[in-house]
Amino acid sequence: MVGAACAYYAARSGLTVTVVDRGPVAGGTTGAGEGNLLVSDKEPGPELDLALLSTGLWRTLAEDLPQHTEYEPKGGLVVASTGPGLDALRDFAAAQATAGVTAREIPADRLHDLEPHLAPGLPGGVHYPQDAQVQPALAAAHLLRASRAEVRTGEEVTAVLTGPGGEVRGVRTPSGTLHAPCVVNAAGTWGGELARLAGAYLPVLPRRGFVLVTEPLPRVVRHKVYAADYVADVASASAALQTSAVVEGTPAGPVLIGASRERVGFDRTLSVEVLRRLAAQATALFPVLARVRALRTYAGFRPYMPDHLPAIGADPRVPGLLHACGHEGAGIGLAPATGLIIARLLTGGEPPLDVTPFRPGRFAAA
């Protein structure tokens, strides 16, 4: 998705773009995502600024791209399970509001107005109307189509070509050489590997997650609903397994259930323990789901960065190499802003926000 957004905005800026992917479109992390476009899980700071910019860009893209992207501005609902948890959630939302996030506290007796099937007894929550969802594989495909870029799937970049001064000259694949004055590293979880091919360094690590998919249902879940501890899991640097209930319906009918996080390398082994936890937490939030069949599950790898911020911008040691990766679980939502920034940098324009916190060189000392 991030690569597709970079291609889209770069092409719209007048550049000639070629996209190279070793697999099919959305064959990696994008195809294993839920399509979340969130501001609700981000504290005030650079990532939230990027998310708010992307929120507006997604609304524009939803008007320009075909309806088949399943863009749905349905909003999010974060619920607390305890009184102290609600206090913490209230403070978090108040801080977000100062940064431009719309957040509305929902008392316990009004929760069922938003979500009739929520479990009883919850003390309250916060509604985020800016949260939205998109079908990620479809959106990435339509972005690429709209970009009119040349798309080469099934080709792996085996080398980044450089000139006498270390500047980028293009890439090599098994099919031959592609010459270009600039290369954008939008390889997601594998961004660190592509950076190494160019002689650069990015500490991108895979963070595995599973999603449960139910049978098609009537719309029993209206918003993206998650437990308040999900925010802490997102911000955690722990490599250990973490699970927190995230439940949302889709226009097609199935309910998606997440979210788990653990750093186990690129191990795709099915974990029954993770699935058991996800199912238990989801049915605790929505008891109606206890009578529903889970049809399948899938796993993906989030591109984790130690400071939880993506690398966006020019590499300080390799002229012509730009990075756009390391968004962890927020890549779908942050893709448009990332693509716009990359396009502005490629054409010598002014980025739409301060990109200093995302500079790839911040890891050079490591």
Side-chain angles (χ1 to χ4, degrees), residues 209-261:
F210 287 94
V211 175
L212 274 171
V213 184
T214 75
E215 61 186 312
L217 302 170
R219 203 59 183 264
V220 297
V221 184
R222 300 176 179 178
H223 304 78
K224 178 185 178 68
V225 182
Y226 61 86
D229 52 358
Y230 170 81
V231 176
D233 286 356
V234 169
S236 170
S238 173
L241 172 64
Q242 298 167 309
T243 60
S244 49
V246 179
V247 186
E248 59 192 315
T250 64
V255 172
L256 306 180
I257 299 171
S260 67
R261 282 174 163 76

mmCIF file of all heavy atoms in Angstrom, residues 209-261:
data_model
loop_
_atom_site.group_PDB
_atom_site.id
_atom_site.type_symbol
_atom_site.label_atom_id
_atom_site.label_comp_id
_atom_site.label_asym_id
_atom_site.label_seq_id
_atom_site.Cartn_x
_atom_site.Cartn_y
_atom_site.Cartn_z
ATOM 1 N N GLY A 209 1.317 -10.917 13.462
ATOM 2 C CA GLY A 209 -0.038 -10.786 13.980
ATOM 3 C C GLY A 209 -0.986 -11.727 13.263
ATOM 4 O O GLY A 209 -0.791 -12.056 12.084
ATOM 5 N N PHE A 210 -2.012 -12.182 13.975
ATOM 6 C CA PHE A 210 -3.040 -13.055 13.406
ATOM 7 C C PHE A 210 -4.385 -12.328 13.370
ATOM 8 O O PHE A 210 -4.661 -11.479 14.211
ATOM 9 C CB PHE A 210 -3.205 -14.330 14.251
ATOM 10 C CG PHE A 210 -2.071 -15.309 14.111
ATOM 11 C CD1 PHE A 210 -1.011 -15.288 14.993
ATOM 12 C CD2 PHE A 210 -2.073 -16.250 13.095
ATOM 13 C CE1 PHE A 210 0.038 -16.190 14.881
ATOM 14 C CE2 PHE A 210 -1.038 -17.151 12.958
ATOM 15 C CZ PHE A 210 0.018 -17.127 13.858
ATOM 16 N N VAL A 211 -5.204 -12.703 12.407
ATOM 17 C CA VAL A 211 -6.565 -12.200 12.298
ATOM 18 C C VAL A 211 -7.501 -13.388 12.113
ATOM 19 O O VAL A 211 -7.229 -14.285 11.312
ATOM 20 C CB VAL A 211 -6.718 -11.227 11.109
ATOM 21 C CG1 VAL A 211 -8.179 -10.823 10.938
ATOM 22 C CG2 VAL A 211 -5.854 -9.987 11.312
ATOM 23 N N LEU A 212 -8.587 -13.401 12.869
ATOM 24 C CA LEU A 212 -9.655 -14.385 12.693
ATOM 25 C C LEU A 212 -10.751 -13.775 11.830
ATOM 26 O O LEU A 212 -11.101 -12.602 11.994
ATOM 27 C CB LEU A 212 -10.252 -14.779 14.050
ATOM 28 C CG LEU A 212 -9.583 -15.906 14.838
ATOM 29 C CD1 LEU A 212 -10.194 -15.967 16.243
ATOM 30 C CD2 LEU A 212 -9.755 -17.238 14.146
ATOM 31 N N VAL A 213 -11.302 -14.570 10.932
ATOM 32 C CA VAL A 213 -12.364 -14.114 10.034
ATOM 33 C C VAL A 213 -13.588 -14.995 10.244
ATOM 34 O O VAL A 213 -13.511 -16.218 10.118
ATOM 35 C CB VAL A 213 -11.920 -14.180 8.559
ATOM 36 C CG1 VAL A 213 -13.009 -13.602 7.654
ATOM 37 C CG2 VAL A 213 -10.601 -13.447 8.361
ATOM 38 N N THR A 214 -14.734 -14.378 10.560
ATOM 39 C CA THR A 214 -15.952 -15.149 10.806
ATOM 40 C C THR A 214 -16.733 -15.384 9.511
ATOM 41 O O THR A 214 -16.421 -14.816 8.459
ATOM 42 C CB THR A 214 -16.888 -14.431 11.784
ATOM 43 O OG1 THR A 214 -17.528 -13.333 11.100
ATOM 44 C CG2 THR A 214 -16.143 -13.915 13.001
ATOM 45 N N GLU A 215 -17.747 -16.192 9.623
ATOM 46 C CA GLU A 215 -18.705 -16.346 8.528
ATOM 47 C C GLU A 215 -19.407 -15.005 8.280
ATOM 48 O O GLU A 215 -19.463 -14.152 9.166
ATOM 49 C CB GLU A 215 -19.740 -17.401 8.900
ATOM 50 C CG GLU A 215 -20.555 -17.052 10.143
ATOM 51 C CD GLU A 215 -21.471 -18.182 10.573
ATOM 52 O OE1 GLU A 215 -22.168 -18.724 9.708
ATOM 53 O OE2 GLU A 215 -21.464 -18.535 11.772
ATOM 54 N N PRO A 216 -19.940 -14.787 7.074
ATOM 55 C CA PRO A 216 -20.662 -13.541 6.802
ATOM 56 C C PRO A 216 -21.869 -13.381 7.725
ATOM 57 O O PRO A 216 -22.597 -14.336 7.983
ATOM 58 C CB PRO A 216 -21.095 -13.698 5.340
ATOM 59 C CG PRO A 216 -20.140 -14.672 4.764
ATOM 60 C CD PRO A 216 -19.822 -15.636 5.876
ATOM 61 N N LEU A 217 -22.057 -12.165 8.227
ATOM 62 C CA LEU A 217 -23.117 -11.883 9.195
ATOM 63 C C LEU A 217 -23.858 -10.605 8.811
ATOM 64 O O LEU A 217 -23.333 -9.775 8.064
ATOM 65 C CB LEU A 217 -22.510 -11.690 10.593
ATOM 66 C CG LEU A 217 -21.690 -12.831 11.188
ATOM 67 C CD1 LEU A 217 -20.983 -12.348 12.436
ATOM 68 C CD2 LEU A 217 -22.593 -14.018 11.513
ATOM 69 N N PRO A 218 -25.052 -10.434 9.337
ATOM 70 C CA PRO A 218 -25.649 -9.096 9.306
ATOM 71 C C PRO A 218 -24.744 -8.150 10.089
ATOM 72 O O PRO A 218 -23.866 -8.607 10.833
ATOM 73 C CB PRO A 218 -27.000 -9.292 10.009
ATOM 74 C CG PRO A 218 -27.241 -10.755 9.988
ATOM 75 C CD PRO A 218 -25.909 -11.424 10.006
ATOM 76 N N ARG A 219 -24.938 -6.881 9.988
ATOM 77 C CA ARG A 219 -23.990 -5.934 10.594
ATOM 78 C C ARG A 219 -24.141 -5.917 12.111
ATOM 79 O O ARG A 219 -24.800 -5.046 12.689
ATOM 80 C CB ARG A 219 -24.191 -4.542 10.001
ATOM 81 C CG ARG A 219 -22.933 -3.655 10.141
ATOM 82 C CD ARG A 219 -21.747 -4.314 9.447
ATOM 83 N NE ARG A 219 -20.524 -3.578 9.586
ATOM 84 C CZ ARG A 219 -20.050 -2.713 8.686
ATOM 85 N NH1 ARG A 219 -20.721 -2.482 7.586
ATOM 86 N NH2 ARG A 219 -18.909 -2.097 8.887
ATOM 87 N N VAL A 220 -23.507 -6.896 12.775
ATOM 88 C CA VAL A 220 -23.585 -6.953 14.238
ATOM 89 C C VAL A 220 -22.556 -6.033 14.897
ATOM 90 O O VAL A 220 -22.692 -5.679 16.068
ATOM 91 C CB VAL A 220 -23.392 -8.400 14.748
ATOM 92 C CG1 VAL A 220 -24.497 -9.302 14.240
ATOM 93 C CG2 VAL A 220 -22.030 -8.956 14.358
ATOM 94 N N VAL A 221 -21.513 -5.645 14.158
ATOM 95 C CA VAL A 221 -20.501 -4.708 14.668
ATOM 96 C C VAL A 221 -20.466 -3.519 13.716
ATOM 97 O O VAL A 221 -20.102 -3.653 12.553
ATOM 98 C CB VAL A 221 -19.108 -5.358 14.768
ATOM 99 C CG1 VAL A 221 -18.111 -4.379 15.388
ATOM 100 C CG2 VAL A 221 -19.167 -6.639 15.598
ATOM 101 N N ARG A 222 -20.836 -2.352 14.221
ATOM 102 C CA ARG A 222 -21.007 -1.188 13.348
ATOM 103 C C ARG A 222 -19.742 -0.359 13.176
ATOM 104 O O ARG A 222 -19.548 0.287 12.158
ATOM 105 C CB ARG A 222 -22.115 -0.294 13.921
ATOM 106 C CG ARG A 222 -23.471 -0.972 14.028
ATOM 107 C CD ARG A 222 -24.468 -0.036 14.684
ATOM 108 N NE ARG A 222 -25.809 -0.629 14.783
ATOM 109 C CZ ARG A 222 -26.843 -0.022 15.348
ATOM 110 N NH1 ARG A 222 -26.685 1.194 15.866
ATOM 111 N NH2 ARG A 222 -28.015 -0.627 15.397
ATOM 112 N N HIS A 223 -18.902 -0.333 14.190
ATOM 113 C CA HIS A 223 -17.682 0.475 14.170
ATOM 114 C C HIS A 223 -16.465 -0.448 14.296
ATOM 115 O O HIS A 223 -16.613 -1.662 14.426
ATOM 116 C CB HIS A 223 -17.669 1.460 15.344
ATOM 117 C CG HIS A 223 -18.853 2.368 15.407
ATOM 118 N ND1 HIS A 223 -20.087 1.952 15.878
ATOM 119 C CD2 HIS A 223 -19.002 3.677 15.067
ATOM 120 C CE1 HIS A 223 -20.950 2.950 15.815
ATOM 121 N NE2 HIS A 223 -20.310 4.014 15.328
ATOM 122 N N LYS A 224 -15.296 0.166 14.259
ATOM 123 C CA LYS A 224 -14.117 -0.564 14.708
ATOM 124 C C LYS A 224 -14.123 -0.449 16.228
ATOM 125 O O LYS A 224 -14.085 0.656 16.769
ATOM 126 C CB LYS A 224 -12.837 0.037 14.145
ATOM 127 C CG LYS A 224 -11.585 -0.691 14.654
ATOM 128 C CD LYS A 224 -10.332 -0.007 14.188
ATOM 129 C CE LYS A 224 -9.106 -0.717 14.760
ATOM 130 N NZ LYS A 224 -8.938 -2.071 14.196
ATOM 131 N N VAL A 225 -14.190 -1.561 16.906
ATOM 132 C CA VAL A 225 -14.308 -1.563 18.367
ATOM 133 C C VAL A 225 -13.097 -2.274 18.951
ATOM 134 O O VAL A 225 -12.764 -3.390 18.533
ATOM 135 C CB VAL A 225 -15.601 -2.278 18.821
ATOM 136 C CG1 VAL A 225 -15.724 -2.213 20.342
ATOM 137 C CG2 VAL A 225 -16.826 -1.644 18.150
ATOM 138 N N TYR A 226 -12.456 -1.625 19.900
ATOM 139 C CA TYR A 226 -11.338 -2.316 20.543
ATOM 140 C C TYR A 226 -11.222 -1.915 22.005
ATOM 141 O O TYR A 226 -11.717 -0.870 22.436
ATOM 142 C CB TYR A 226 -10.025 -2.109 19.792
ATOM 143 C CG TYR A 226 -9.506 -0.704 19.648
ATOM 144 C CD1 TYR A 226 -8.727 -0.112 20.637
ATOM 145 C CD2 TYR A 226 -9.724 0.012 18.480
ATOM 146 C CE1 TYR A 226 -8.203 1.156 20.472
ATOM 147 C CE2 TYR A 226 -9.201 1.282 18.298
ATOM 148 C CZ TYR A 226 -8.431 1.848 19.306
ATOM 149 O OH TYR A 226 -7.910 3.111 19.139
ATOM 150 N N ALA A 227 -10.569 -2.796 22.752
ATOM 151 C CA ALA A 227 -10.359 -2.564 24.173
ATOM 152 C C ALA A 227 -9.260 -1.529 24.360
ATOM 153 O O ALA A 227 -8.326 -1.427 23.559
ATOM 154 C CB ALA A 227 -9.986 -3.868 24.867
ATOM 155 N N ALA A 228 -9.343 -0.774 25.455
ATOM 156 C CA ALA A 228 -8.422 0.341 25.671
ATOM 157 C C ALA A 228 -6.969 -0.116 25.758
ATOM 158 O O ALA A 228 -6.060 0.640 25.408
ATOM 159 C CB ALA A 228 -8.807 1.084 26.942
ATOM 160 N N ASP A 229 -6.721 -1.357 26.192
ATOM 161 C CA ASP A 229 -5.328 -1.800 26.316
ATOM 162 C C ASP A 229 -4.660 -2.031 24.969
ATOM 163 O O ASP A 229 -3.443 -2.217 24.891
ATOM 164 C CB ASP A 229 -5.215 -3.054 27.182
ATOM 165 C CG ASP A 229 -6.140 -4.175 26.739
ATOM 166 O OD1 ASP A 229 -6.905 -3.974 25.776
ATOM 167 O OD2 ASP A 229 -6.099 -5.250 27.364
ATOM 168 N N TYR A 230 -5.423 -2.011 23.883
ATOM 169 C CA TYR A 230 -4.842 -2.114 22.549
ATOM 170 C C TYR A 230 -3.846 -0.983 22.302
ATOM 171 O O TYR A 230 -2.802 -1.180 21.670
ATOM 172 C CB TYR A 230 -5.954 -2.078 21.500
ATOM 173 C CG TYR A 230 -5.504 -1.949 20.064
ATOM 174 C CD1 TYR A 230 -5.066 -3.061 19.351
ATOM 175 C CD2 TYR A 230 -5.535 -0.721 19.410
ATOM 176 C CE1 TYR A 230 -4.655 -2.945 18.029
ATOM 177 C CE2 TYR A 230 -5.132 -0.600 18.092
ATOM 178 C CZ TYR A 230 -4.692 -1.708 17.412
ATOM 179 O OH TYR A 230 -4.297 -1.578 16.100
ATOM 180 N N VAL A 231 -4.143 0.218 22.795
ATOM 181 C CA VAL A 231 -3.265 1.366 22.582
ATOM 182 C C VAL A 231 -1.899 1.101 23.205
ATOM 183 O O VAL A 231 -0.857 1.400 22.614
ATOM 184 C CB VAL A 231 -3.888 2.648 23.160
ATOM 185 C CG1 VAL A 231 -2.928 3.830 23.030
ATOM 186 C CG2 VAL A 231 -5.210 2.953 22.472
ATOM 187 N N ALA A 232 -1.883 0.522 24.405
ATOM 188 C CA ALA A 232 -0.615 0.219 25.064
ATOM 189 C C ALA A 232 0.152 -0.855 24.303
ATOM 190 O O ALA A 232 1.383 -0.802 24.197
ATOM 191 C CB ALA A 232 -0.863 -0.236 26.499
ATOM 192 N N ASP A 233 -0.561 -1.841 23.742
ATOM 193 C CA ASP A 233 0.107 -2.894 22.976
ATOM 194 C C ASP A 233 0.778 -2.329 21.735
ATOM 195 O O ASP A 233 1.878 -2.733 21.359
ATOM 196 C CB ASP A 233 -0.902 -3.972 22.565
ATOM 197 C CG ASP A 233 -1.312 -4.861 23.739
ATOM 198 O OD1 ASP A 233 -0.746 -4.682 24.836
ATOM 199 O OD2 ASP A 233 -2.188 -5.716 23.550
ATOM 200 N N VAL A 234 0.104 -1.399 21.065
ATOM 201 C CA VAL A 234 0.667 -0.783 19.868
ATOM 202 C C VAL A 234 1.978 -0.080 20.195
ATOM 203 O O VAL A 234 2.953 -0.142 19.439
ATOM 204 C CB VAL A 234 -0.336 0.213 19.246
ATOM 205 C CG1 VAL A 234 0.326 1.047 18.160
ATOM 206 C CG2 VAL A 234 -1.528 -0.534 18.669
ATOM 207 N N ALA A 235 2.022 0.603 21.331
ATOM 208 C CA ALA A 235 3.191 1.401 21.696
ATOM 209 C C ALA A 235 4.286 0.583 22.371
ATOM 210 O O ALA A 235 5.395 1.074 22.558
ATOM 211 C CB ALA A 235 2.772 2.541 22.626
ATOM 212 N N SER A 236 4.003 -0.674 22.698
ATOM 213 C CA SER A 236 4.964 -1.485 23.434
ATOM 214 C C SER A 236 6.154 -1.882 22.567
ATOM 215 O O SER A 236 6.018 -2.126 21.365
ATOM 216 C CB SER A 236 4.272 -2.744 23.968
ATOM 217 O OG SER A 236 5.228 -3.649 24.494
ATOM 218 N N ALA A 237 7.324 -1.981 23.203
ATOM 219 C CA ALA A 237 8.522 -2.454 22.515
ATOM 220 C C ALA A 237 8.799 -3.918 22.819
ATOM 221 O O ALA A 237 9.806 -4.468 22.377
ATOM 222 C CB ALA A 237 9.726 -1.608 22.929
ATOM 223 N N SER A 238 7.915 -4.566 23.557
ATOM 224 C CA SER A 238 8.135 -5.943 23.955
ATOM 225 C C SER A 238 8.099 -6.884 22.752
ATOM 226 O O SER A 238 7.307 -6.711 21.827
ATOM 227 C CB SER A 238 7.065 -6.373 24.969
ATOM 228 O OG SER A 238 7.173 -7.753 25.252
ATOM 229 N N ALA A 239 8.958 -7.894 22.795
ATOM 230 C CA ALA A 239 8.954 -8.919 21.750
ATOM 231 C C ALA A 239 7.983 -10.051 22.093
ATOM 232 O O ALA A 239 7.697 -10.896 21.243
ATOM 233 C CB ALA A 239 10.358 -9.490 21.574
ATOM 234 N N ALA A 240 7.483 -10.065 23.327
ATOM 235 C CA ALA A 240 6.614 -11.146 23.771
ATOM 236 C C ALA A 240 5.216 -11.014 23.165
ATOM 237 O O ALA A 240 4.831 -9.964 22.646
ATOM 238 C CB ALA A 240 6.529 -11.137 25.293
ATOM 239 N N LEU A 241 4.461 -12.100 23.261
ATOM 240 C CA LEU A 241 3.106 -12.120 22.731
ATOM 241 C C LEU A 241 2.207 -11.165 23.511
ATOM 242 O O LEU A 241 2.184 -11.164 24.740
ATOM 243 C CB LEU A 241 2.539 -13.537 22.810
ATOM 244 C CG LEU A 241 1.058 -13.687 22.478
ATOM 245 C CD1 LEU A 241 0.793 -13.317 21.019
ATOM 246 C CD2 LEU A 241 0.588 -15.119 22.761
ATOM 247 N N GLN A 242 1.457 -10.353 22.767
ATOM 248 C CA GLN A 242 0.447 -9.473 23.345
ATOM 249 C C GLN A 242 -0.819 -9.607 22.514
ATOM 250 O O GLN A 242 -0.760 -9.642 21.286
ATOM 251 C CB GLN A 242 0.920 -8.015 23.321
ATOM 252 C CG GLN A 242 2.174 -7.751 24.148
ATOM 253 C CD GLN A 242 2.780 -6.396 23.849
ATOM 254 O OE1 GLN A 242 2.998 -6.066 22.696
ATOM 255 N NE2 GLN A 242 3.054 -5.622 24.874
ATOM 256 N N THR A 243 -1.936 -9.690 23.191
ATOM 257 C CA THR A 243 -3.215 -9.740 22.479
ATOM 258 C C THR A 243 -4.186 -8.767 23.146
ATOM 259 O O THR A 243 -4.189 -8.618 24.371
ATOM 260 C CB THR A 243 -3.844 -11.146 22.508
ATOM 261 O OG1 THR A 243 -4.068 -11.546 23.866
ATOM 262 C CG2 THR A 243 -2.956 -12.157 21.799
ATOM 263 N N SER A 244 -4.976 -8.098 22.336
ATOM 264 C CA SER A 244 -6.016 -7.204 22.838
ATOM 265 C C SER A 244 -7.135 -7.175 21.805
ATOM 266 O O SER A 244 -6.882 -7.130 20.602
ATOM 267 C CB SER A 244 -5.467 -5.794 23.072
ATOM 268 O OG SER A 244 -4.739 -5.340 21.953
ATOM 269 N N ALA A 245 -8.364 -7.221 22.291
ATOM 270 C CA ALA A 245 -9.516 -7.396 21.410
ATOM 271 C C ALA A 245 -9.697 -6.219 20.461
ATOM 272 O O ALA A 245 -9.769 -5.062 20.879
ATOM 273 C CB ALA A 245 -10.775 -7.589 22.244
ATOM 274 N N VAL A 246 -9.762 -6.541 19.162
ATOM 275 C CA VAL A 246 -10.094 -5.583 18.115
ATOM 276 C C VAL A 246 -11.127 -6.269 17.226
ATOM 277 O O VAL A 246 -10.848 -7.310 16.640
ATOM 278 C CB VAL A 246 -8.864 -5.190 17.283
ATOM 279 C CG1 VAL A 246 -9.268 -4.212 16.180
ATOM 280 C CG2 VAL A 246 -7.791 -4.582 18.162
ATOM 281 N N VAL A 247 -12.318 -5.701 17.135
ATOM 282 C CA VAL A 247 -13.417 -6.353 16.420
ATOM 283 C C VAL A 247 -14.058 -5.343 15.470
ATOM 284 O O VAL A 247 -14.365 -4.219 15.871
ATOM 285 C CB VAL A 247 -14.486 -6.887 17.403
ATOM 286 C CG1 VAL A 247 -15.550 -7.680 16.657
ATOM 287 C CG2 VAL A 247 -13.841 -7.741 18.490
ATOM 288 N N GLU A 248 -14.242 -5.752 14.221
ATOM 289 C CA GLU A 248 -14.920 -4.854 13.284
ATOM 290 C C GLU A 248 -15.619 -5.644 12.191
ATOM 291 O O GLU A 248 -15.165 -6.697 11.749
ATOM 292 C CB GLU A 248 -13.938 -3.864 12.659
ATOM 293 C CG GLU A 248 -12.790 -4.481 11.905
ATOM 294 C CD GLU A 248 -11.736 -3.439 11.574
ATOM 295 O OE1 GLU A 248 -12.112 -2.352 11.122
ATOM 296 O OE2 GLU A 248 -10.545 -3.715 11.786
ATOM 297 N N GLY A 249 -16.777 -5.121 11.795
ATOM 298 C CA GLY A 249 -17.497 -5.698 10.682
ATOM 299 C C GLY A 249 -16.963 -5.178 9.365
ATOM 300 O O GLY A 249 -16.185 -4.227 9.322
ATOM 301 N N THR A 250 -17.365 -5.817 8.272
ATOM 302 C CA THR A 250 -16.949 -5.400 6.938
ATOM 303 C C THR A 250 -18.180 -5.292 6.044
ATOM 304 O O THR A 250 -19.199 -5.938 6.308
ATOM 305 C CB THR A 250 -15.972 -6.414 6.316
ATOM 306 O OG1 THR A 250 -16.646 -7.669 6.140
ATOM 307 C CG2 THR A 250 -14.757 -6.616 7.205
ATOM 308 N N PRO A 251 -18.111 -4.505 4.984
ATOM 309 C CA PRO A 251 -19.252 -4.401 4.066
ATOM 310 C C PRO A 251 -19.661 -5.741 3.473
ATOM 311 O O PRO A 251 -20.826 -5.955 3.148
ATOM 312 C CB PRO A 251 -18.728 -3.441 2.980
ATOM 313 C CG PRO A 251 -17.701 -2.620 3.667
ATOM 314 C CD PRO A 251 -17.037 -3.555 4.637
ATOM 315 N N ALA A 252 -18.692 -6.665 3.334
ATOM 316 C CA ALA A 252 -18.998 -7.968 2.745
ATOM 317 C C ALA A 252 -19.656 -8.927 3.731
ATOM 318 O O ALA A 252 -20.160 -9.976 3.321
ATOM 319 C CB ALA A 252 -17.728 -8.595 2.185
ATOM 320 N N GLY A 253 -19.641 -8.610 5.039
ATOM 321 C CA GLY A 253 -20.326 -9.452 6.014
ATOM 322 C C GLY A 253 -19.453 -10.073 7.087
ATOM 323 O O GLY A 253 -19.834 -10.073 8.265
ATOM 324 N N PRO A 254 -18.276 -10.646 6.752
ATOM 325 C CA PRO A 254 -17.456 -11.240 7.808
ATOM 326 C C PRO A 254 -16.999 -10.217 8.841
ATOM 327 O O PRO A 254 -16.821 -9.037 8.531
ATOM 328 C CB PRO A 254 -16.252 -11.807 7.038
ATOM 329 C CG PRO A 254 -16.745 -12.034 5.661
ATOM 330 C CD PRO A 254 -17.725 -10.917 5.408
ATOM 331 N N VAL A 255 -16.827 -10.692 10.060
ATOM 332 C CA VAL A 255 -16.253 -9.885 11.132
ATOM 333 C C VAL A 255 -14.772 -10.242 11.252
ATOM 334 O O VAL A 255 -14.405 -11.420 11.243
ATOM 335 C CB VAL A 255 -16.977 -10.142 12.462
ATOM 336 C CG1 VAL A 255 -16.270 -9.446 13.621
ATOM 337 C CG2 VAL A 255 -18.425 -9.663 12.371
ATOM 338 N N LEU A 256 -13.933 -9.216 11.349
ATOM 339 C CA LEU A 256 -12.497 -9.421 11.524
ATOM 340 C C LEU A 256 -12.155 -9.269 12.998
ATOM 341 O O LEU A 256 -12.588 -8.308 13.642
ATOM 342 C CB LEU A 256 -11.697 -8.407 10.698
ATOM 343 C CG LEU A 256 -12.017 -8.338 9.197
ATOM 344 C CD1 LEU A 256 -11.149 -7.283 8.520
ATOM 345 C CD2 LEU A 256 -11.841 -9.691 8.540
ATOM 346 N N ILE A 257 -11.363 -10.196 13.507
ATOM 347 C CA ILE A 257 -11.009 -10.216 14.929
ATOM 348 C C ILE A 257 -9.487 -10.234 15.066
ATOM 349 O O ILE A 257 -8.818 -11.120 14.545
ATOM 350 C CB ILE A 257 -11.620 -11.437 15.636
ATOM 351 C CG1 ILE A 257 -13.156 -11.389 15.555
ATOM 352 C CG2 ILE A 257 -11.157 -11.508 17.091
ATOM 353 C CD1 ILE A 257 -13.817 -12.666 16.038
ATOM 354 N N GLY A 258 -8.939 -9.273 15.755
ATOM 355 C CA GLY A 258 -7.518 -9.206 16.094
ATOM 356 C C GLY A 258 -7.451 -8.730 17.540
ATOM 357 O O GLY A 258 -8.485 -8.714 18.228
ATOM 358 N N ALA A 259 -6.358 -8.284 18.009
ATOM 359 C CA ALA A 259 -5.080 -8.171 17.319
ATOM 360 C C ALA A 259 -4.014 -8.794 18.223
ATOM 361 O O ALA A 259 -4.081 -8.690 19.439
ATOM 362 C CB ALA A 259 -4.752 -6.701 17.067
ATOM 363 N N SER A 260 -3.067 -9.441 17.594
ATOM 364 C CA SER A 260 -1.940 -10.005 18.340
ATOM 365 C C SER A 260 -0.649 -9.408 17.822
ATOM 366 O O SER A 260 -0.559 -8.991 16.670
ATOM 367 C CB SER A 260 -1.916 -11.534 18.196
ATOM 368 O OG SER A 260 -1.628 -11.912 16.858
ATOM 369 N N ARG A 261 0.354 -9.388 18.696
ATOM 370 C CA ARG A 261 1.673 -8.867 18.337
ATOM 371 C C ARG A 261 2.733 -9.707 19.017
ATOM 372 O O ARG A 261 2.660 -9.961 20.220
ATOM 373 C CB ARG A 261 1.833 -7.400 18.788
ATOM 374 C CG ARG A 261 1.144 -6.399 17.903
ATOM 375 C CD ARG A 261 1.219 -4.998 18.489
ATOM 376 N NE ARG A 261 0.915 -3.992 17.489
ATOM 377 C CZ ARG A 261 -0.305 -3.708 17.057
ATOM 378 N NH1 ARG A 261 -1.336 -4.358 17.575
ATOM 379 N NH2 ARG A 261 -0.501 -2.796 16.126
#
